[in-house]
Amino acid sequence: GANTAIFTLVYAVMLKPLPVPNPAQLYRLGDNNNCCVMTGTQDGGSFVLYSYALYEDLRDHTPEFTQLAAFEPHVSDLSVRRAGKPAVEPYRGEYVSGNYFTMFDIPAFAGRLLAPSDDSPAAPPVAVMNYHSWQEHFGSDPSVIGSTVNINGFACTIAGVTAPRFYGDTLRSDPPDFWLPLVAEPERWRMENPKVESLYPIGRLRRDANPAQVQAKLTGEVQQWLWATGYSEATPEQRNDKALVEKYRQEISRQHVHLTPAGRGVEQLQTDYAIGLQLLVTLSGLLLLMACANIATLLLARGSANRLQVAVRLALGAPRRRVIQQMLIESVLLALAGGVAGLYVAYSGTRAILLLAFRGAHFIPIDAQPALTVLGFALLLSLATGIVFGIAPAWMASRSDPADTLRGAGRSTRDRSSVLQKPLVIAQVAFSIVLLIGAGLLTQSLRNLEHQDFGFVTESRLIVSIAPSLSGYTADRLPGFYQRLEEVLPRIPGVLSASLSWYSPFGGNNANERVYIEGKPPDDHWRAPSWDRVGPQYFETIGTRLLQGRVIDERDRPGAANVAVINETFAQ
């Protein structure tokens, strides 16, 4: 049961491909999931994030892809107002290029999916809904297709519903409820700025294309793009500085594209949980070996107790093959019965692990019910354990001398059994010690994580996510709205301190910018530190100590001098 539960997760997370035709043809332009950190900062220069302009250039100049689509690496919060309902409902959405579903080559369950023509400023706004969201939140109402809803303050037509098993390009908890074209992105400036790298590209490679050759071509195209865009912005003095030009040329030559298979999509969950699943597989395997050794010992004891019956059968002329066959059948039946019972344990165990791993998630697109592949694994595992660990007792019973047993000696049979029983007991004790040590180390690791110092205090801190622009607030009204929040929040009974921030600590996202320090040449590796935009009382609210200088306070209003607080690592 434990092994089947872990294999269910391994199959669903690590092995199961996207539910699209020919997933082996899908390739991603990038090899890691360092979302939202500019590509130029990656060690080794591996390009992962792409600007919209660079994506368009690669799409139009790389015919080796039948389709090359792009999408944002994160899921955005949406404000949805349905017709006839006064309240705004929160949903999650992903902004994708118009050829996103064409690239995956999947049909719509109802209506139609996005088309390249939808990704145009002149096109009427449309959205595609997830089947699960359509079923759970809209009651599978067919009239929803073609209806108009208000998304982020704009009227938007629901074009269609995706297939039931399709949850997007990335296996994640709470997948997108809606897919919208990139042109509908509220922060449109990111699409229009060729320096803003914020998209993941995935393409479907032609059958006759060589991935290595396509990778080399993409690297050359990216380097040409960087040289053209960077050199065009250089001043005449910079262009005449041979040392600076050579340095820039060397930086450009470091940048490269790593074409990686994307049959399982963006492997974010696979990367995050790979070590944990490997640990669980190892521990559950040891547990299985302990159980098998225990059962084998019991079968040996049972064989010793029945040695007189076996001796009578052999003395009457029963072939040893039949004796071995009978005991193997008993062993395999016992193993299969255990395997059937283990399926229930596997289902319960898988659900328990999913609830622990994705605590707080509303929907997890991982099915805890064993699939045919998992059922086959459980069957093979049961047969293998029944045969491997039942063969020794059967062989020992068949090798006994019936004459000795009938005369009451039976000493050789007992000796042979003990020869095998002792190593099995030793193996059980050894595996038990390993499991106990592993459990102790894991418990200590969890305790260390629970009490780790992250530079801020986690106790009694609450995070509230707000998106005023999704509720109709324009840019000129935001400063007054934020100021009222700063005044009202601390007045709530029980609130000691409150502040605002663009990103919360450990929120899984960040902004970054290339930083140039006065009096120092640009860094060789295009360092781009992460940064956050915060309000007064921020450091006091999250409990971060100030080492030098002052914190951001009420003096730092619009129109005041620009200031920043840096951390100790950046200062060093």
Side-chain angles (χ1 to χ4, degrees), residues 445-476:
S445 298
L446 293 174
R447 185 180 294 110
N448 293 339
L449 284 174
E450 186 178 4
H451 297 92
Q452 188 170 347
D453 182 14
F454 297 110
F456 60 91
V457 181
T458 58
E459 289 80 10
S460 303
R461 266 65 178 181
L462 299 178
I463 297 174
V464 179
S465 299
I466 60 173
S469 61
L470 302 185
S471 298
Y473 279 85
T474 55
D476 58 320

Side-chain angles (χ1 to χ4, degrees), residues 209-231:
N210 186 307
Q213 295 177 356
V214 176
Q215 176 176 292
K217 180 178 178 180
L218 288 169
T219 296
E221 291 177 349
V222 167
Q223 292 178 355
Q224 291 177 11
W225 166 270
L226 293 174
W227 177 258
T229 55
Y231 195 75

